[in-house]
Amino acid sequence: MIPKTDVEQDSLRDGTRIGDWRLYPSLHEIRRDGEVVRLEPKAVALLVRLAERAGRMVSREELLDRVWPGVVVGDDSLTQVVIKLRKALGDQPRHPDYIQTIPKQGYRLIAAVEAPASGPDGAAPGAPHPRRAGTALVAGGVILAVLLLGYLALPGNREAEVATGGGADAAGAASAIGEEPLTIAVLPFEPLREGAEQNNLARGITADLVTDLSRLSGLWVISTHSVFGHDDGEGAAAAASARYYVSGSVQRTPGRLEAHIRLIDSGSGRQLWSERFDRPIGDLFDVQAEISRQVVRILEVRLTRAEHWRLAQRYTRNLEAYELFLQGQAALLVRQERENLNARRLYQRAIELDPTFARAYAGLALSYVADYRNQWGEDGEAALARASEMAQTALEIDPGIPEVYWVLGYIETQRRHHGQAIAHLETALGLDQSFADAYALMGGINTYDGHPHRTVKLIRQAMRLNPEAGYLYFLLLGRAYFFIDDPEQAMINLREALARNPANLEAHVYLAAAATARDDVETGEWEVDEILALQPGFDTEAWLATYPMTDAGQIRKLSAALASLGL
């Protein structure tokens, strides 16, 4: 039963108790047993409004009006503030003690709210004296302004604030832990020997390190790893935008693993930590865990008990299953029918060796989604249902893996259940605030729903977090710009996508449509030839049958552009 609150005023007094915490709105912080957590202003405004209506549902519309008065922002901005507020409170979305989500409606504060007893001068006991607090607040405001100016001076960070409407960015991540964020880039590890096995091992160690570090609230991780796939670039852009970066080289020799790992301060170029590993190949998982622990130790990242537990867990202890999984990942990213089937077989073999390998189930799910999306099988609906079963199995095995929620979101996107997809992606971001692909898929969904302006902001945020993500981010941007009626920017981004993946049919489709919008007949006709070479007998209506777009106006616009080219 939700306790009735006696707090009904327009703004709460410093010292108001909310569950185990006391809120100090004037200082932008919450306190508990000597622990002090700083909140960003929008998180304070959100918590105040929820506390004023404790026990009652507050609609998303009311919260948007209260937190962003006079400013039009998307629902995703509110979602991001809720995620950060939950993180600060130590709340769990699935089993909340503070903020309960009312699907498609709003949020409700379910913790008890108690007004503070008045102390001298009307202040809450233990709160700063009003005059001293005012002085401290002015000084704090000056310091905050200096820090903010310094933060905004970093490459790309002005745009980050615009892109998310005050949502998840490095400064926001810092507010949840009360200090400036530690920003770290994980560069692709270099295989010292040639061969698919060596490349897969290097990619796998890179991806696992990114996943480990991204799940820690004290770090903001910029990576080159992507669920969508990534380019094998040097990652210079990632390192340039991060305070620290990890790089390394690895090789597998008969029965052994050799690796050299370095942690660098990008500002000074100073090497903070370097270690060479020469271990039996069976120690691979222990080496991976040790690398993560050393990075956390050197950077003095403070971990919660849950984060310590997560860092100690491995996805599988079966080396052969892990190697099959890495091979499956490499095959899946080719995005061709034969390789997709091969990926499925590799995931299935990995699961036979380790039936609790959640990430292998998630990969298996994506192979079935690919059948549906690309119309590779006779029964697309059955393939999508199978994908959902595999993803749910992964979730039941380990509900703490962000990529699993991404896969669930991707499946619901194909079903055109976009609200459910966004909910899964919000959960993924709650687990990993640096999860670039979650922002990217949110961006794609916004275009499907007829909000391409929101897409641009979300994809720019994803690109900052994963500068080497590859062709798909450019495709999502180009698609959004086409529907925004900016065919010039659409063509720029679509050509970037095709430079990275010339065989992507969707990018050719949108480039043809954008060329038509610019009256560029030559490019349009060229792209028609490319489309028919990739898919002889291409039919727009049939292609759209499994396309997740739900905005009727956008479907008509795309269809008309392609029809003018004879497609």
Side-chain angles (χ1 to χ4, degrees):
M1 182 176 179
I2 299 171
K4 182 178 179 180
T5 177
D6 60 352
V7 181
E8 298 289 346
Q9 58 207 61
D10 289 336
S11 60
L12 303 188
R13 290 161 51 193
D14 281 351
T16 296
R17 180 177 290 280
I18 301 176
D20 294 334
W21 295 91
R22 287 196 179 275
L23 171 65
Y24 293 85
S26 68
L27 302 177
H28 291 171
E29 65 187 32
I30 54 176
R31 304 177 185 177
R32 177 180 63 182
D33 300 329
E35 180 182 3
V36 178
V37 177
R38 293 281 298 168
L39 300 176
E40 65 177 38
K42 295 188 186 306
V44 173
L46 175 65
L47 183 55
V48 165
R49 175 53 72 182
L50 291 174
E52 290 167 353
R53 304 287 188 269
R56 288 175 283 173
M57 191 272 291
V58 186
S59 70
R60 297 180 72 93
E61 292 76 14
E62 180 180 344
L63 291 170
L64 287 167
D65 289 343
R66 174 64 178 261
V67 180
W68 290 272
V71 179
V72 178
V73 298
D75 284 355
D76 53 303
S77 299
L78 174 59
T79 299
Q80 297 310 316
V81 176
V82 170
I83 288 172
K84 288 189 282 186
L85 184 55
R86 279 178 169 150
K87 187 179 291 290
L89 292 167
D91 205 21
Q92 298 296 321
R94 287 180 170 268
H95 305 286
D97 293 318
Y98 289 88
I99 302 173
Q100 179 185 33
T101 299
I102 311 299
K104 300 184 180 180
Q105 297 184 59
Y107 299 91
R108 175 168 56 199
L109 185 71
I110 57 176
V113 177
E114 178 185 347
S118 295
D121 301 321
H129 186 280
R131 187 171 299 166
R132 291 194 298 272
T135 303
L137 193 58
V138 171
V142 172
I143 294 171
L144 181 61
V146 171
L147 289 174
L148 183 59
L149 286 172
Y151 171 73
L152 292 177
L154 294 173
N157 282 336
R158 287 187 181 88
E159 190 177 358
E161 180 65 16
V162 174
T164 60
D169 53 39
S175 69
I177 57 173
E179 58 187 38
E180 187 177 354
L182 294 175
T183 310
I184 187 168
V186 179
L187 306 189
F189 284 17
E190 178 185 358
L192 294 179
R193 292 188 173 191
E194 295 184 356
E197 181 184 65
Q198 303 289 341
N199 291 335
N200 290 340
L201 177 65
R203 288 194 186 104
I205 292 178
T206 304
D208 285 354
L209 180 59
V210 168
T211 301
D212 284 348
L213 298 180
S214 294
R215 296 165 79 179
L216 307 180
S217 58
L219 285 176
W220 188 253
V221 182
I222 299 173
S223 78
T224 59
H225 167 62
S226 172
V227 178
F228 290 133
H230 64 81
D231 297 327
D232 290 326
E234 296 178 358
S241 59
R243 182 70 178 84
Y244 304 96
Y245 67 90
V246 179
S247 65
S249 55
V250 297
Q251 68 173 337
R252 180 174 180 174
T253 57
R256 300 197 70 79
L257 169 70
E258 297 176 16
H260 183 201
I261 314 299
R262 296 167 293 274
L263 175 63
I264 308 294
D265 183 322
S266 60
S268 65
R270 186 164 62 94
Q271 184 168 280
L272 303 179
W273 169 67
S274 175
E275 188 161 342
R276 293 184 182 274
F277 297 89
D278 185 353
R279 304 274 187 85
I281 190 64
D283 289 350
L284 169 64
F285 305 119
D286 293 331
V287 170
Q288 289 177 313
E290 187 172 339
I291 293 169
S292 299
R293 286 195 298 267
Q294 288 285 12
V295 170
V296 167
R297 181 185 65 80
I298 297 296
L299 298 184
E300 298 182 346
V301 178
R302 290 176 294 184
L303 305 182
T304 65
R305 182 177 301 176
E307 288 171 338
H308 274 294
W309 182 85
R310 287 195 209 111
L311 203 56
Q313 303 304 304
R314 301 313 305 167
Y315 304 108
T316 181
R317 299 297 301 185
N318 187 304
L319 181 60
E320 186 178 352
Y322 182 71
E323 291 174 338
L324 290 166
F325 169 77
L326 294 180
Q327 294 172 34
Q329 296 288 81
L332 185 72
L333 295 177
V334 177
R335 302 185 186 281
Q336 298 295 323
E337 184 174 8
R338 183 199 294 182
E339 285 76 10
N340 189 67
L341 182 58
N342 184 38
R344 182 176 306 153
R345 291 169 178 158
L346 290 164
Y347 291 134
Q348 289 169 339
R349 288 170 57 194
I351 291 168
E352 289 172 3
L353 293 168
D354 182 358
T356 65
F357 196 172
R359 292 176 73 198
Y361 279 101
L364 185 57
L366 285 177
S367 77
Y368 283 108
V369 179
D371 275 357
Y372 169 82
R373 180 67 191 89
N374 297 290
Q375 301 174 355
W376 286 334
E378 294 182 0
D379 192 342
E381 291 299 329
L384 203 55
R386 188 62 174 160
S388 183
E389 291 175 12
M390 295 298 102
Q392 287 295 335
T393 300
L395 182 64
E396 290 168 6
I397 292 172
D398 189 344
I401 302 177
E403 289 89 343
V404 171
Y405 294 97
W406 187 94
V407 172
L408 287 165
Y410 188 62
I411 292 168
E412 294 303 330
T413 300
Q414 305 310 311
R415 287 175 164 166
R416 301 183 177 94
H417 298 163
H418 295 157
Q420 294 178 36
I422 291 291
H424 286 307
L425 295 172
E426 289 172 356
T427 303
L429 286 168
L431 292 168
D432 175 3
Q433 61 187 354
S434 312
F435 195 0
D437 284 352
Y439 291 106
L441 184 51
M442 278 185 175
I445 292 169
N446 272 281
T447 294
Y448 293 143
D449 274 347
H451 303 288
H453 288 87
R454 297 178 187 173
T455 298
V456 174
K457 298 175 182 179
L458 287 162
I459 300 302
R460 294 298 184 195
Q461 175 73 344
M463 284 180 161
R464 274 185 292 274
L465 290 169
N466 190 353
E468 308 293 331
Y471 81 95
L472 207 90
Y473 286 16
F474 289 100
L475 167 59
L476 296 177
L477 268 181
R479 188 170 69 191
Y481 279 121
F482 171 73
F483 290 117
I484 291 172
D485 295 322
D486 190 340
E488 181 177 7
Q489 289 223 61
M491 293 179 72
I492 290 170
N493 284 283
L494 291 166
R495 281 174 170 149
E496 288 289 337
L498 288 169
R500 291 160 171 78
N501 186 353
N504 183 257
L505 178 65
E506 186 176 3
H508 285 290
V509 166
Y510 275 99
L511 185 53
T516 300
R518 287 197 72 195
D519 296 321
D520 186 345
V521 177
E522 182 178 358
T523 298
E525 291 176 346
W526 174 272
E527 290 304 319
V528 168
D529 290 341
E530 293 290 308
I531 292 166
L532 294 176
L534 288 169
Q535 187 172 315
F538 175 88
D539 179 79
T540 299
E541 185 176 352
W543 185 73
L544 288 172
T546 56
Y547 199 59
M549 189 165 289
T550 54
D551 186 88
Q554 291 184 168
I555 292 173
R556 287 193 297 271
K557 178 177 179 176
L558 179 60
S559 298
L562 296 176
S564 71
L565 294 168
L567 293 175

